[in-house]
Amino acid sequence: MRRIITIILAFFAFSCALIAQTPVESLAESYDGQKGVKVIVADGATMSFARPYIRKSPMGSLADNVEAVTILSLKKAPENVQGEFLARLRRTMKSYQFYGKETGEDGNIVEVYGSPIKNGVVHELVVYNPDNHVLFSLRGSYPVDELQKLDPKKK
Protein backbone atom coordinates (compact mmCIF):
# COMPACT_ATOMS: atom_id res chain seq x y z
CA MET A 1 0.00 0.00 0.00
CA ARG A 2 2.84 2.41 0.82
CA ARG A 3 4.38 1.70 -2.56
CA ILE A 4 1.16 2.66 -4.36
CA ILE A 5 0.81 5.85 -2.33
CA THR A 6 4.46 6.72 -3.02
CA ILE A 7 3.96 6.18 -6.76
CA ILE A 8 0.80 8.30 -6.76
CA LEU A 9 2.54 11.10 -4.84
CA ALA A 10 5.56 10.99 -7.16
CA PHE A 11 3.30 11.17 -10.21
CA PHE A 12 1.37 14.06 -8.66
CA ALA A 13 4.58 15.95 -7.86
CA PHE A 14 5.85 15.40 -11.41
CA SER A 15 2.54 16.62 -12.84
CA CYS A 16 2.63 19.73 -10.68
CA ALA A 17 6.16 20.47 -11.83
CA LEU A 18 5.02 20.35 -15.46
CA ILE A 19 2.10 22.64 -14.74
CA ALA A 20 4.38 25.11 -12.95
CA GLN A 21 6.29 25.87 -16.14
CA THR A 22 5.73 29.18 -17.87
CA PRO A 23 4.64 29.20 -21.52
CA VAL A 24 8.17 30.12 -22.64
CA GLU A 25 9.77 27.40 -20.51
CA SER A 26 7.35 24.84 -21.96
CA LEU A 27 8.14 26.03 -25.48
CA ALA A 28 11.88 25.76 -24.89
CA GLU A 29 11.58 22.31 -23.36
CA SER A 30 9.54 21.08 -26.33
CA TYR A 31 12.66 21.53 -28.49
CA ASP A 32 14.99 19.67 -26.13
CA GLY A 33 16.64 16.73 -27.86
CA GLN A 34 16.17 18.01 -31.40
CA LYS A 35 19.19 18.10 -33.68
CA GLY A 36 21.28 21.22 -33.17
CA VAL A 37 19.24 22.43 -30.19
CA LYS A 38 20.58 22.95 -26.67
CA VAL A 39 18.34 23.53 -23.67
CA ILE A 40 19.87 24.37 -20.32
CA VAL A 41 17.78 24.76 -17.17
CA ALA A 42 19.21 26.09 -13.93
CA ASP A 43 17.13 26.18 -10.78
CA GLY A 44 17.53 25.39 -7.12
CA ALA A 45 21.15 24.66 -6.19
CA THR A 46 22.39 25.09 -9.78
CA MET A 47 21.44 28.76 -9.59
CA SER A 48 24.60 29.30 -7.51
CA PHE A 49 26.52 28.64 -10.73
CA ALA A 50 24.25 30.78 -12.92
CA ARG A 51 24.00 33.89 -10.73
CA PRO A 52 27.62 35.06 -11.24
CA TYR A 53 26.97 35.16 -15.01
CA ILE A 54 23.73 37.08 -14.47
CA ARG A 55 25.57 39.57 -12.23
CA LYS A 56 27.94 40.35 -15.13
CA SER A 57 25.02 41.01 -17.47
CA PRO A 58 22.99 44.22 -17.84
CA MET A 59 20.50 42.60 -15.43
CA GLY A 60 23.13 42.12 -12.74
CA SER A 61 21.29 44.07 -10.05
CA LEU A 62 18.42 41.57 -10.27
CA ALA A 63 20.56 38.41 -10.01
CA ASP A 64 19.40 37.60 -6.49
CA ASN A 65 15.76 37.72 -7.64
CA VAL A 66 16.25 35.03 -10.30
CA GLU A 67 14.87 31.66 -9.20
CA ALA A 68 15.28 29.73 -12.46
CA VAL A 69 16.90 30.24 -15.85
CA THR A 70 16.09 28.44 -19.07
CA ILE A 71 18.38 28.91 -22.04
CA LEU A 72 17.48 27.65 -25.50
CA SER A 73 20.05 27.79 -28.28
CA LEU A 74 19.07 26.99 -31.85
CA LYS A 75 22.36 28.23 -33.38
CA LYS A 76 23.15 24.85 -34.91
CA ALA A 77 19.56 23.80 -35.60
CA PRO A 78 18.36 23.42 -39.19
CA GLU A 79 16.70 26.50 -40.69
CA ASN A 80 13.28 24.85 -40.76
CA VAL A 81 13.50 24.20 -36.99
CA GLN A 82 14.60 27.80 -36.39
CA GLY A 83 11.70 29.09 -38.47
CA GLU A 84 9.16 26.85 -36.75
CA PHE A 85 10.47 27.93 -33.35
CA LEU A 86 10.26 31.61 -34.26
CA ALA A 87 6.62 31.24 -35.37
CA ARG A 88 5.73 29.43 -32.13
CA LEU A 89 7.67 31.98 -30.07
CA ARG A 90 5.79 34.89 -31.69
CA ARG A 91 2.46 33.24 -30.84
CA THR A 92 3.59 32.58 -27.26
CA MET A 93 4.88 36.12 -26.75
CA LYS A 94 1.44 37.59 -27.46
CA SER A 95 0.60 36.87 -23.81
CA TYR A 96 3.73 38.76 -22.65
CA GLN A 97 4.48 42.45 -22.50
CA PHE A 98 7.04 43.75 -25.00
CA TYR A 99 9.59 46.01 -23.29
CA GLY A 100 11.61 46.90 -26.34
CA LYS A 101 14.83 46.18 -28.11
CA GLU A 102 18.18 46.67 -26.43
CA THR A 103 21.80 46.09 -27.29
CA GLY A 104 22.88 42.75 -25.86
CA GLU A 105 26.24 41.82 -24.38
CA ASP A 106 27.61 40.72 -27.76
CA GLY A 107 26.47 43.93 -29.48
CA ASN A 108 23.47 42.30 -31.17
CA ILE A 109 20.00 43.71 -30.73
CA VAL A 110 17.84 41.59 -28.38
CA GLU A 111 14.10 41.65 -27.77
CA VAL A 112 13.00 41.95 -24.15
CA TYR A 113 9.62 40.77 -22.83
CA GLY A 114 8.01 40.33 -19.44
CA SER A 115 5.12 38.35 -18.08
CA PRO A 116 2.02 40.38 -17.20
CA ILE A 117 2.51 42.58 -14.13
CA LYS A 118 0.80 41.30 -10.98
CA ASN A 119 0.80 43.51 -7.88
CA GLY A 120 3.70 45.59 -9.22
CA VAL A 121 5.86 42.53 -9.91
CA VAL A 122 6.94 40.78 -13.11
CA HIS A 123 7.53 37.04 -12.62
CA GLU A 124 9.36 36.19 -15.84
CA LEU A 125 11.72 38.10 -18.09
CA VAL A 126 12.39 36.80 -21.58
CA VAL A 127 15.29 37.90 -23.75
CA TYR A 128 15.48 36.70 -27.35
CA ASN A 129 18.49 37.22 -29.60
CA PRO A 130 17.20 36.71 -33.16
CA ASP A 131 20.69 36.98 -34.71
CA ASN A 132 22.06 34.09 -32.63
CA HIS A 133 18.76 32.20 -32.23
CA VAL A 134 19.13 32.16 -28.44
CA LEU A 135 16.34 32.58 -25.89
CA PHE A 136 16.70 33.30 -22.17
CA SER A 137 13.87 32.94 -19.67
CA LEU A 138 14.56 34.27 -16.18
CA ARG A 139 11.86 33.35 -13.69
CA GLY A 140 11.69 35.15 -10.37
CA SER A 141 10.16 38.23 -8.76
CA TYR A 142 11.10 41.54 -10.33
CA PRO A 143 9.52 44.70 -8.91
CA VAL A 144 8.58 47.07 -11.73
CA ASP A 145 10.48 49.97 -10.14
CA GLU A 146 13.68 47.86 -10.15
CA LEU A 147 13.14 46.94 -13.81
CA GLN A 148 12.70 50.60 -14.72
CA LYS A 149 16.11 51.36 -13.20
CA LEU A 150 17.67 49.01 -15.77
CA ASP A 151 16.40 51.10 -18.70
CA PRO A 152 19.40 53.12 -19.95
CA LYS A 153 17.04 55.65 -21.58
CA LYS A 154 15.66 56.63 -18.16
CA LYS A 155 19.03 57.21 -16.51
Side-chain angles (χ1 to χ4, degrees), residues 28 31 34-40 70-77 81-82 85 128 132-136:
Y31 282 84
Q34 289 195 30
K35 182 180 178 186
V37 176
K38 286 185 184 178
V39 178
I40 300 168
T70 300
I71 303 169
L72 169 71
S73 174
L74 293 116
K75 288 180 189 180
K76 297 179 181 178
V81 173
Q82 292 173 351
F85 168 77
Y128 178 61
N132 292 336
H133 305 285
V134 177
L135 175 83
F136 297 87

Side-chain angles (χ1 to χ4, degrees), residues 1 3 6 10 20 35 46 49-50 54 67 72 84 105 125 127 130 143:
M1 184 67 172
R3 178 187 258 175
T6 303
K35 182 180 178 186
T46 58
F49 297 106
I54 297 169
E67 297 167 6
L72 169 71
E84 174 196 309
E105 290 181 42
L125 294 172
V127 179

Side-chain angles (χ1 to χ4, degrees), residues 104-119:
E105 290 181 42
D106 58 2
N108 290 336
I109 301 298
V110 298
E111 301 170 8
V112 182
Y113 300 85
S115 61
I117 299 168
K118 293 181 183 170
N119 300 321

